Amino acid sequence: MGGFILVDSALGEGTTFTVMLPVCAVGRAEGPSDPAAIAKTDEASAARPLAMGETPTVLIVDDEDPIRVFAARALRKAGLRVLEAVSGEQALEVIATRSEPIDVLLTDVIMPGMDGYTLAQIVRRDHANLRVIAMSGFQEDAILAGRNNEVEVSFLAKPFTLAELNGKVRALLQPAGRR
């Protein structure tokens, strides 16, 4: 319910199965505690399309294929246009070749080469309205986001559910008065 199974296969090299299941919180103080009810809630919020005139574009930057693919599929299912990059350097190439704006940059914090905060600073020089979500499995990175005053950054902790991902992106896409 709400998970993904990714299969990578190459002739003569073998097959890799990546199973991604939603996180299930046990003993929540509010909301449903039944895992099936939680999964249905996540699926419903993930599938609800955004109410906007144009389809927003999200650029996902993560060097970990399973995470990038999971996020891309979830956001596409939610009705967003999604671009992908495996590094900060590749993200800059994607941005440079596009004539249409990118609305949200969803970037991993720790990547080989350019880190996510450096990428956000560089991109925001030319795209001041770009909204940025930094994601990481390390809570220390959230603290670093607070120290970075040059770029306003939202933080998304890994692992995240479909509902958390979509909720964070939706919140940033709302007009300033409606957040």
Side-chain angles (χ1 to χ4, degrees):
M1 284 195 155
F4 292 96
I5 298 176
L6 307 173
V7 180
D8 291 313
S9 183
L11 188 61
E13 294 180 23
T15 302
T16 302
F17 291 86
T18 304
V19 179
M20 301 178 81
L21 300 174
V23 175
C24 178
V26 178
R28 282 188 179 181
E30 56 188 289
S33 59
D34 173 37
I38 293 170
K40 286 180 184 175
T41 301
D42 284 355
E43 288 171 8
S45 63
R48 192 173 44 244
L50 291 166
M52 295 189 72
E54 293 184 26
T55 303
T57 301
V58 178
L59 172 57
I60 302 172
V61 186
D62 199 314
D63 59 311
E64 296 181 57
D65 292 340
I67 293 170
R68 192 181 63 258
V69 169
F70 171 79
R73 285 182 182 173
L75 294 175
R76 283 185 182 111
K77 187 175 179 180
L80 299 171
R81 182 177 300 117
V82 177
L83 305 170
E84 299 178 46
V86 298
S87 68
E89 294 82 3
Q90 186 182 43
L92 293 175
E93 291 175 16
V94 169
I95 293 167
T97 60
R98 284 191 55 83
S99 57
E100 298 86 22
I102 294 171
D103 301 291
V104 176
L105 172 65
L106 174 63
T107 181
D108 190 15
V109 173
I110 300 173
M111 296 182 287
M114 184 184 305
D115 66 85
Y117 292 127
T118 302
L119 171 64
Q121 288 176 345
I122 292 170
V123 173
R124 289 288 299 274
R125 288 179 194 150
D126 294 327
H127 305 277
N129 294 329
L130 180 71
R131 290 154 227 146
V132 179
I133 302 171
M135 56 182 169
S136 178
F138 301 100
Q139 287 303 97
E140 304 90 62
D141 294 330
I143 296 167
L144 290 175
R147 291 184 191 162
N148 183 350
N149 295 328
E150 291 184 41
V151 179
E152 184 179 331
V153 176
S154 292
F155 185 77
L156 180 62
K158 292 180 185 178
F160 47 81
T161 66
L162 294 175
E164 291 167 335
L165 172 63
N166 281 305
K168 185 69 76 169
V169 171
R170 287 171 192 277
L172 288 183
L173 289 172
Q174 293 297 321
R178 294 182 51 200
R179 287 187 193 168

